[in-house]
Amino acid sequence: MAPEEQIEKAAEAIVHARYPIGLTGAGMSVESGIPPFRGPGGLWTKHGEPPMNGFQIFMSNPKKGWEDRIKPRYEELWGPLRAAKPNPGHYALAEMEQLGVLRFLITQNVDDLHRQAGSQALAEIHGNFN
């Protein structure tokens, strides 16, 4: 299916939905300069995924858990978040909300870019780095 047809089908589905919501993840902010966790340039691709018992490690000593996982990559993780600006996708979702087309937005991202773009009906399920 051609991209134009895909866009038309997506728009039709949104318009006909009773309560349309959006769900975004790491891919949403790549255009803003924030690398994903997986895939090309991803932090987990370069450094390995967190261990499956990461939660237990964290709960046994939260301070050490944060230090071991975050400190060695502090600037690599937080630098892009501080420099990033919303991209056209963030603004499009905010505008869809303002028009009453999108009722709610759920994001896994902690980058604050949806809020900066103007989204208000927003759940940041992993929190916000600010």
Side-chain angles (χ1 to χ4, degrees):
M1 183 181 307
E4 297 82 16
E5 291 176 279
Q6 292 175 340
I7 292 169
E8 191 171 314
K9 279 187 157 286
E12 190 175 305
I14 291 168
V15 167
H16 288 67
R18 286 195 340 245
Y19 198 92
I21 64 169
L23 174 64
T24 67
M28 183 74 193
S29 297
V30 169
E31 187 178 336
S32 294
I34 299 173
F37 285 97
R38 294 179 181 90
L43 295 174
W44 290 353
T45 304
K46 291 195 292 189
H47 303 292
E49 291 198 25
M52 292 303 290
N53 65 340
F55 180 72
Q56 289 81 7
I57 292 170
F58 173 77
M59 291 305 292
S60 69
N61 187 338
K63 183 176 189 292
K64 183 174 179 353
W66 278 117
E67 288 173 350
D68 290 350
R69 193 74 189 144
I70 302 298
K71 269 191 175 178
R73 296 169 197 53
Y74 185 84
E75 193 54 36
E76 185 178 11
L77 181 63
W78 301 116
L81 292 176
R82 288 192 303 271
K85 301 290 181 219
N87 67 51
H90 295 105
Y91 287 112
L93 291 169
E95 185 174 348
M96 288 172 66
E97 177 188 330
Q98 291 162 2
L99 293 170
V101 174
L102 189 67
R103 303 287 296 273
F104 200 78
L105 181 60
I106 303 166
T107 186
Q108 299 179 65
N109 299 343
V110 300
D111 55 33
D112 196 48
L113 297 181
H114 286 297
R115 194 172 310 284
Q116 290 176 35
S119 291
Q120 294 179 358
L122 176 66
E124 298 167 310
I125 61 174
H126 292 304
N128 185 305
F129 90 103
N130 281 328

